[in-house]
Amino acid sequence: MIYRFITGLALRYPAWVLTCWTALLVICGSAAISLPSLLKDHGLRTEGTSAQVEQILSEEYQIPKEPAIIVFQRESGTSRASFESGIRTALEQLRRIDGIGAVISPLDHKRMRDNQAAYALLGLDTHGRSDESVLDAIRSALPDSPGLTMTLTGKPFVQDDVNRASMHDLKRAELIGLPVAFLILFYAFGGWIYALIPIAAGCTAVGISMGILYWLGNGLQLELSNFVLNVIPMVGLALGIDFGLILVSRFREEWWRSSGRVERALPVTLRQAGRAVLYSAACVILGLIAITFIRMPMFQSVAIGAMVVVFVSALVNLTLVPAFLSIWSPLIPIQRNYPTGTGRFRPRLMQRWTRYVMHKPVRMTLVSAALLLTSIMPIRHLQTSVPDAASLPSSYPSRYGAELVDFRFNDPFTSVIPVVVLGRGDTVSAEEWASAYGLWQKLRTDRDVLRVDSIFSYLPESLDRQGLLSSSQMQQLPQSTGQPFAQAGALLMSVTLQPGMDAKQTEDWLRKWETQGQNERDIRILLGGEAKYRMEVSDEIKARIPSVLLWMAATNFVVLFAGFRSIVIPVKALLMNLLSLTASFGVLVYLFQDGVLGGGSGSIAVMIPVFIFGMVFGVSMDYGVFLLSRMTEVYHDTGKADEAIAYGLTSTGKVITSAAAIMIAVTLPFAGGDVEGVRQLGVGIAAAILIDATLIRFMLVPALMKLMGHVNWWLPHQLRRWLFTE
């Protein structure tokens, strides 16, 4: 019913369809230009104790939350007095900026300076101003002080650099990907008009989707991760062009068979290829819904954005592309050398390959399985981490500044864990003070702890460390006692772990003290810090993965079962997707984690495997559905399994190859980007598509289908009668 309606719309009112989409593109495109201004940080945040500790440190101890950092370096020949004077002048300038809250000066804290360098913390309090404008104001306000070098870093400046780098990566990838995609389409179709239609569909889908995301972010206050800026164009262009390729390719075949009669070619195209597009889009969206199960802004905003662009891509290709075909096709002469309708096979390379696979199914199964196993093996060593300043190239000032602070002012190879001790009331009672003292002693004697800084560390021996200090007594203590470690209702302890502890050992220590802290009498302890934050992000993802996988497998099985009326085909398609995805993760480990492809960061960004799995799991269905739909179409017509398999592989070979090449052309240029996570995503998707379109679709799937024969379309007769009306 829906295909008839779309066909009638495209045939009767193609100009109106084209006009409506053009108007929508203009409206949404104008909004899309402002999308970068709404992007926040990466969005890897949880509601765990690390966020609570960060809030307490900000409110009770005036330690800025996610502060900007200015690093001062003393040049040779500059006196100490001139160095400190330059710092004082710079901070006075910065305090005048609207949007700067607390300023913590190194001149007031010895641990924030040494003989050659110092750093200050700037709390941002934007009051409705955009973060970008405040950061630009900070850059402009820095004075030019002789003998003094100033570098801006901290999470706000790192994220600002990531946003700028993402925009640069996107423009460069589009400049490479779109021309290459056009050349592939030109080769596939042998003409520029048909080649332009999928390109126009992909660009239209991306422009409209980014405008919709702007309205979602601005109107509904949806928090948008900066990763959206790369993921949406990457997915939109790849899928939009691929969907267009499938439709245009089938239309040209039906158009030739109908001797150039659009009114006959278009209905068949939408009924067959349009159905494949619809099922593919459904599989992708269902996979993306699963990503929203992970309760962090990054995953939810990227998944919502990707769902929007997939839906718009499908809608554009099912309405705008038929309108284009209805308008332009009558102007193009029919190719006399197009394949005949009497013969199922074309005497070309794809036919020869099909015959080889059909005659050697066992050999092809073993060869493809061996190659897949080789690609999968490195996944055993997969390590993930939360991206930080190291995800930027070393030439970026924000990364240099962050590394400089770590090198000069943080203990090497150690983790610092802030521990907040809370009482039951607004003030710390005598019993609670004694319990906190006992906790401090336990932490000091822990073999994994290097030192514990707290108010107990600085109290003179003459004072009763287990006794209660009143507010007036605390005010009378000298500053050297570490007075900032105690507030009326909370105590702060800074725990430095032993050098050399790796991430797993640090995580074990955190879990141990989380459990032990629940057993403390009279007090409640909260663990925070970067290590705790990273552990919470990892825990949230690991906890949600089973439900994500279950949802994706169940929903995709239902969609494929409804489309192919078979139990075996959906199960096999899910297993093939799983193989191609795990193989792509092995490629990522080899190229990035082991450092073969530059970088050598030692880990994969924690969100990359999830994004690749969620997007590619559905995207690879695009090829699978297209291939299997042609096989099923012939099988239902002839009842011959071998003929259906051979014809499906032969007739879709060029389209699948072109579609995969386009997907790779659109995603692989991101591998040359500046942001490490974007590079990993681009390579990961390209690797998954390459493996899926070669080892899986051209070798393993047809070989297995040949071996299984009619079993591929097996469905119990009673179940068929009950579910499907013939």
Side-chain angles (χ1 to χ4, degrees):
M1 185 68 181
I2 186 173
Y3 302 119
R4 288 185 201 167
F5 174 75
I6 295 172
T7 302
L9 206 63
L11 289 174
R12 295 175 189 173
Y13 312 107
W16 279 105
V17 173
L18 183 59
T19 301
C20 290
W21 278 112
T22 302
L24 189 59
L25 178 60
V26 171
I27 295 170
C28 294
S30 61
I33 297 173
S34 303
L35 179 62
S37 64
L38 294 182
L39 302 181
K40 305 297 183 182
D41 58 9
H42 49 56
L44 284 172
R45 288 193 302 279
T46 66
E47 299 300 325
T49 60
S50 63
Q52 299 178 44
V53 169
E54 190 176 52
Q55 189 69 23
I56 292 172
L57 294 180
S58 175
E59 294 177 353
E60 301 293 335
Y61 294 89
Q62 287 72 53
I63 298 176
K65 183 163 48 174
E66 296 189 352
I69 300 174
I70 177 170
V71 184
F72 303 94
Q73 287 180 275
R74 178 182 173 187
E75 297 179 0
S76 59
T78 304
S79 66
R80 181 76 182 182
S82 299
F83 180 55
E84 293 182 356
S85 175
I87 294 174
R88 192 175 295 106
T89 301
L91 295 182
E92 287 175 357
Q93 292 273 65
L94 294 173
R95 284 190 177 95
R96 300 191 185 102
I97 297 175
D98 181 24
I100 296 294
V103 176
I104 300 180
S105 171
L107 302 180
D108 301 327
H109 299 80
K110 291 182 179 179
R111 289 188 178 181
M112 297 173 64
R113 69 178 188 269
D114 59 22
N115 287 330
Q116 298 298 322
Y119 71 95
L121 304 181
L122 310 176
L124 302 186
D125 190 6
T126 54
H127 293 301
R129 294 184 64 185
S130 67
D131 291 348
E132 186 178 0
S133 64
V134 175
L135 298 182
D136 288 339
I138 293 174
R139 292 187 181 100
S140 302
L142 290 180
D144 185 12
S145 301
L148 183 64
T149 302
M150 288 174 274
T151 305
L152 295 170
T153 186
K155 284 189 177 181
F157 282 102
V158 170
Q159 291 304 325
D160 188 59
D161 281 346
V162 168
N163 290 349
R164 294 172 188 266
S166 297
M167 282 294 296
H168 178 259
D169 293 349
L170 174 60
K171 293 176 181 177
R172 181 167 53 186
E174 287 178 342
L175 287 175
I176 298 172
L178 287 177
V180 173
F182 176 78
L183 292 176
I184 294 170
L185 290 167
F186 184 84
Y187 168 76
F189 294 140
W192 65 271
I193 293 181
Y194 281 133
L196 281 178
I197 292 177
I199 298 288
C203 293
T204 300
V206 170
I208 292 174
S209 300
M210 293 183 76
I212 293 173
L213 280 179
Y214 172 80
W215 290 325
L216 289 175
N218 193 41
L220 301 181
Q221 300 302 310
L222 175 66
E223 183 176 346
L224 298 175
S225 165
N226 55 23
F227 226 64
V228 166
L229 201 59
N230 292 112
V231 172
I232 303 310
M234 190 187 299
V235 174
L237 287 175
L239 272 181
I241 295 173
D242 271 8
F243 287 165
L245 170 64
I246 291 172
L247 284 165
V248 173
S249 176
R250 184 58 183 263
F251 174 81
R252 292 176 74 240
E253 182 180 335
E254 298 301 330
W255 183 60
W256 183 90
R257 287 175 179 167
S258 63
S259 300
R261 300 184 65 177
V262 178
E263 66 275 10
R264 289 189 179 181
L266 203 54
V268 178
T269 299
L270 290 173
R271 189 168 60 249
Q272 299 298 336
R275 177 173 170 267
V277 168
L278 209 56
Y279 279 112
S280 296
C283 289
V284 177
I285 290 174
L286 288 171
L288 292 168
I289 288 174
I291 295 180
T292 63
F293 296 169
I294 303 175
R295 300 172 300 181
M296 283 185 275
M298 163 175 273
F299 295 99
Q300 293 174 341
S301 65
V302 169
I304 290 172
M307 280 189 280
V308 168
V309 77
V310 172
F311 176 79
V312 173
S313 295
L315 200 58
V316 165
N317 278 280
L318 291 175
T319 55
L320 181 61
V321 168
F324 275 137
L325 294 172
S326 180
I327 292 172
W328 284 353
S329 291
L331 306 177
I332 303 173
I334 301 176
Q335 296 181 23
R336 298 300 175 190
N337 60 344
Y338 209 76
T340 64
T342 56
R344 291 280 189 194
F345 305 105
R346 283 174 278 175
R348 294 182 180 177
L349 177 62
M350 200 64 226
Q351 179 192 359
R352 294 195 293 271
W353 175 255
T354 300
R355 286 177 175 172
Y356 183 79
V357 173
M358 298 293 288
H359 283 93
K360 307 286 185 181
V362 175
R363 178 182 297 179
M364 297 309 296
T365 300
L366 294 176
V367 169
S368 57
L371 292 173
L372 285 169
L373 185 62
T374 303
S375 300
I376 291 172
M377 290 296 288
I379 201 174
R380 297 174 301 166
H381 309 294
L382 175 67
Q383 295 180 1
T384 59
S385 64
V386 177
D388 52 19
S391 64
L392 290 167
S394 56
S395 58
Y396 277 67
S398 59
R399 174 177 174 174
Y400 170 74
E403 292 175 344
L404 185 63
V405 171
D406 283 339
F407 175 74
R408 300 197 70 96
F409 300 103
N410 296 332
D411 293 320
F413 310 110
T414 61
S415 296
V416 179
I417 313 296
V419 179
V420 174
V421 182
L422 300 175
R424 290 170 295 184
D426 295 334
T427 58
V428 180
S429 66
E431 294 81 5
E432 293 164 352
W433 187 274
S435 296
Y437 178 74
L439 173 65
W440 175 67
Q441 288 185 316
K442 292 176 186 176
L443 287 169
R444 288 179 64 201
T445 56
D446 190 310
R447 60 187 179 88
D448 293 325
V449 173
L450 178 64
R451 66 171 182 270
V452 184
D453 294 320
S454 76
I455 192 170
F456 301 112
S457 309
Y458 298 96
L459 290 177
E461 293 291 339
S462 58
L463 289 177
D464 182 8
R465 293 186 176 184
Q466 299 187 56
L468 173 67
L469 290 180
S470 65
S471 299
S472 59
Q473 289 175 313
M474 288 178 60
Q475 293 291 335
Q476 295 172 7
L477 291 175
Q479 292 293 323
S480 61
T481 62
Q483 180 180 334
F485 284 107
Q487 294 296 332
L491 299 176
L492 172 63
M493 301 181 188
S494 180
V495 180
T496 303
L497 301 184
Q498 292 286 357
M501 289 181 64
D502 59 24
K504 180 65 170 60
Q505 292 171 317
T506 303
E507 184 177 310
D508 291 341
W509 187 91
L510 289 167
R511 295 192 192 281
K512 178 185 76 174
W513 277 98
E514 265 191 326
T515 303
Q516 191 164 333
Q518 295 173 358
N519 301 324
E520 291 291 331
R521 294 179 54 191
D522 303 320
I523 57 175
R524 182 164 63 98
I525 69 171
L526 301 176
L527 303 177
E530 188 68 18
K532 183 62 166 61
Y533 156 72
R534 292 173 182 269
M535 187 184 81
E536 289 172 350
V537 169
S538 178
D539 286 350
E540 172 65 18
I541 295 174
K542 291 176 181 176
R544 301 293 166 184
I545 285 298
S547 58
V548 168
L549 296 179
L550 181 62
W551 168 270
M552 292 173 66
T555 54
N556 278 271
F557 177 85
V558 170
V559 171
L560 295 175
F561 176 75
F564 298 108
R565 303 185 182 188
S566 165
I567 292 177
V568 176
I569 286 178
V571 172
K572 190 162 52 180
L574 292 172
L575 291 176
M576 295 302 101
N577 276 11
L578 189 62
L579 279 175
S580 62
L581 284 165
T582 50
S584 71
F585 294 159
V587 172
L588 273 181
V589 171
Y590 178 71
L591 294 179
F592 286 96
Q593 188 171 303
D594 296 339
V596 175
L597 190 64
S601 57
S603 63
I604 306 299
V606 70
M607 66 283 187
I608 298 303
V610 178
F611 285 153
I612 292 176
F613 204 99
M615 288 185 285
V616 177
F617 192 89
V619 170
S620 61
M621 287 293 183
D622 185 16
Y623 312 132
V625 168
F626 186 56
L627 172 64
L628 295 170
S629 64
R630 296 305 292 267
M631 292 180 179
T632 302
E633 182 183 340
V634 176
Y635 180 77
H636 287 161
D637 289 342
T638 65
K640 299 177 181 179
D642 284 359
E643 185 175 347
I645 296 167
Y647 177 69
L649 186 59
T650 303
S651 62
T652 62
K654 186 175 182 180
V655 177
I656 290 179
T657 304
S658 300
I662 289 170
M663 183 76 77
I664 293 170
V666 171
T667 57
L668 193 57
F670 286 93
D674 288 339
V675 182
E676 183 77 359
V678 175
R679 295 175 61 213
Q680 293 174 358
L681 184 63
V683 171
I685 292 178
I689 296 302
L690 179 63
I691 292 169
D692 187 79
T694 53
L695 298 181
I696 300 294
R697 304 302 163 196
F698 284 164
M699 294 177 67
L700 191 55
V701 167
L704 290 175
M705 293 193 76
K706 165 64 178 177
L707 292 172
M708 299 179 73
H710 292 279
V711 177
N712 290 293
W713 289 274
W714 174 79
L715 185 65
H717 183 66
Q718 292 297 328
L719 185 61
R720 184 183 298 274
R721 289 184 57 188
W722 182 50
L723 292 177
F724 304 108
T725 303
E726 298 293 345

